[in-house]
Amino acid sequence: MTSQVSPSQGAGGSDVEDEDVDLFSVNWNQDHSCFSAATANGLRMFSCKPFKEQLRRIQEDGGFRIVEMLFRTNIFGLVGQGADKQYQQNKLTIWDDCHNLLIGDFSFKSNIRAVKLSKDYFVVALEHEIYVYSFKTLKLIHLIDTTSNPKGLCCLSHHADISVMACPGTRQGIVRVEHFGSKETKFITAHDSNISCMTLTVDGLLLATASVRGTLIRIFNTMDGACLQEVRRGVDKAEIYSIALSPNLQWLAVSSDKGTMHIFSLRARPRGKDASNGKSAIAGRQMDRSYSSGSVGSNVSSSLSFMKGILPKYFSSEWSFAQFRLPEVTRYITAFGDQTTVMMIGLDGSFYRCNFDPVNGGKMVLDEFIRFMKPSMSRSRTPNT
């Protein structure tokens, strides 16, 4: 990859004064300690605690539309924006930046919508197909047909012992779940309308989904397809930008085009798991794969829930426990940090870190705001506090 390194500069680890470049996408790494930024002239990598720009690569002949990281390594999945013949929108490059080494190139018949990486697998999503490759052999091991999937929806677990992938099925509202280790396939009827967003837990045993209506988020057991919990973002239709599950399985975060990031308390618990630290109580490779819907959780439910079945469904819905207001001018992707810390990165080049009260909930407190880039197409806005 022809590139040059630019040093990190400025407050918060990024020099925004020299920025005037399109920001195409931002993506968290697998443990949410870093994120990547795909720009019209290259790529950036930022660490979150403390916030700092760790890597900058400038492409002389064009940039990237998708940049995916593999944990905290310098291995990237790169999809170009098409300006450079070497990096096209239908071509995935697996690149080892530490050793300046090309691991592999993979070309497809249509543009790539998304890329996901894990220790054992990497996944390429096209609009109607999902390609699953082995990282060890770089060979194709699964080719999966999907319904129209312009967002490239797919998610991949990254637990050391369990590999699970979820993607849209061949009919609207259906999620296909592949358990690679046990070679089991499960189809989950998640919604009546098309899926708009989904995420898996680290071990892949819980799945959270939202539809294009954007009012309800549902949590499923991926082993048997049971719906364990349903929470309500709101009543009006919305586009869900991201869903995040906390590592300790106590909280769920949702961002949308309505400008509010919602936190929900989870009742779904894996049996045999210590919710305080998220570690399995069963040692070694044996994991308890049964999840249940318990009484843990304190989402706000309507006082009219006793009239469920008589009044509209939203009266008995579980509502968000904590909230944070964001500017509505851009797309934000959220992730959990330590305990009750939530982070958000926006396509306007903004980074937020905020905290919520795990007992009382309510309005979240902004701890940190950084403008890590100044994209040429963004509108500068002061963050809401």
Side-chain angles (χ1 to χ4, degrees):
M1 178 169 63
T2 303
S3 59
Q4 67 183 61
V5 183
S6 297
S8 301
Q9 300 174 353
S14 180
D15 182 3
V16 300
E17 297 300 325
D18 64 350
E19 297 301 320
D20 187 17
V21 61
D22 288 330
L23 177 57
F24 289 126
S25 65
V26 286
N27 288 295
W28 294 104
N29 74 338
Q30 289 80 359
D31 62 10
H32 306 138
S33 61
C34 301
F35 69 90
S36 59
T39 74
N41 67 355
L43 67 88
R44 316 285 172 92
M45 184 180 76
F46 301 87
S47 61
C48 296
K49 193 175 182 180
F51 192 94
K52 183 180 180 181
E53 181 179 307
Q54 298 282 12
L55 179 71
R56 187 186 299 194
R57 292 288 183 258
I58 305 300
Q59 285 289 110
E60 296 178 357
D61 299 323
F64 301 105
R65 189 161 293 275
I66 298 172
V67 175
E68 282 283 340
M69 300 174 60
L70 181 62
F71 291 94
R72 293 185 67 92
T73 70
N74 280 49
I75 295 177
F76 297 97
L78 306 173
V79 178
Q81 60 164 326
D84 186 340
K85 292 182 179 180
Q86 183 179 356
Y87 298 104
Q88 295 295 306
Q89 294 186 44
N90 69 330
K91 181 180 177 181
L92 169 66
T93 298
I94 305 294
W95 176 258
D96 184 340
D97 193 76
C98 183
H99 299 95
N100 200 35
L101 176 67
L102 173 66
I103 296 175
D105 275 334
F106 306 85
S107 296
F108 302 89
K109 61 186 179 182
S110 61
N111 289 348
I112 296 171
R113 305 294 184 172
V115 176
K116 301 296 179 185
L117 308 180
S118 73
K119 180 178 67 71
D120 297 313
Y121 303 94
F122 60 95
V123 176
V124 179
L126 308 184
E127 184 166 353
H128 295 281
E129 294 171 316
I130 300 285
Y131 291 77
V132 183
Y133 291 84
S134 164
F135 237 130
K136 182 177 181 179
T137 65
L138 302 183
K139 300 294 185 182
L140 179 68
I141 57 174
H142 292 286
L143 175 56
I144 298 171
D145 292 328
T146 70
T147 187
S148 179
N149 185 21
K151 292 183 177 180
L153 297 178
C154 64
C155 38
L156 191 60
S157 71
H158 50 271
H159 192 276
D161 298 322
I162 300 176
S163 293
V164 182
M165 187 202 71
C167 65
T170 54
R171 292 185 292 115
Q172 72 172 22
I174 305 295
V175 178
R176 175 171 178 156
V177 179
E178 293 288 340
H179 295 268
F180 294 137
S182 61
K183 298 182 179 180
E184 297 178 29
T185 302
K186 185 69 183 178
F187 293 93
I188 297 174
T189 302
H191 301 273
D192 294 331
S193 50
N194 284 323
I195 308 296
S196 69
C197 195
M198 64 174 72
T199 193
L200 286 167
T201 48
V202 172
D203 58 16
L205 301 184
L206 284 183
L207 168 74
T209 66
S211 76
V212 292
R213 294 175 183 170
T215 54
L216 298 173
I217 294 87
R218 293 180 175 135
I219 299 92
F220 298 90
N221 180 337
T222 64
M223 293 301 298
D224 61 13
C227 183
L228 304 178
Q229 190 175 352
E230 178 183 282
V231 298
R232 180 172 290 275
R233 180 213 54 82
V235 178
D236 297 332
K237 183 177 180 180
E239 181 183 357
I240 302 297
Y241 289 151
S242 68
I243 304 173
L245 294 161
S246 66
N248 62 9
L249 302 181
Q250 288 184 317
W251 311 103
L252 179 146
V254 178
S255 64
S256 73
D257 64 351
K258 294 298 184 181
T260 302
M261 197 274 295
H262 295 272
I263 299 291
F264 299 88
S265 177
L266 284 178
R267 290 185 286 102
R269 287 289 184 273
R271 297 190 183 101
K273 180 164 285 193
D274 180 357
S276 65
N277 58 21
K279 295 181 179 179
S280 174
I282 303 175
R285 298 178 65 89
Q286 298 297 319
M287 292 192 65
D288 187 340
R289 292 192 168 197
S290 59
Y291 279 72
S292 63
S293 179
S295 59
V296 180
S298 53
N299 291 331
V300 179
S301 297
S302 170
S303 61
L304 299 176
S305 60
F306 68 93
M307 297 188 71
K308 183 177 181 180
I310 301 174
L311 293 175
K313 188 175 181 180
Y314 60 78
F315 281 106
S316 58
S317 296
E318 296 180 50
W319 296 79
S320 62
F321 173 76
Q323 308 81 31
F324 185 79
R325 287 291 301 172
L326 291 157
E328 298 179 30
V329 297
T330 194
R331 180 181 297 267
Y332 296 93
I333 304 174
T334 187
F336 283 92
D338 299 332
Q339 298 179 359
T340 57
T341 299
V342 181
M343 303 173 291
M344 289 146 285
I345 45 177
L347 282 177
D348 61 350
S350 60
F351 171 86
Y352 295 81
R353 191 195 315 272
C354 53
N355 257 287
F356 63 93
D357 185 329
V359 176
N360 299 311
K363 185 177 180 180
M364 301 179 69
V365 176
L366 178 64
D367 290 337
E368 186 175 20
F369 171 80
I370 292 174
R371 179 73 66 182
F372 64 88
M373 281 187 63
K374 185 181 176 183
S376 60
M377 300 303 292
S378 71
R379 289 183 290 166
S380 178
R381 289 279 297 271
T382 302
N384 295 330
T385 57

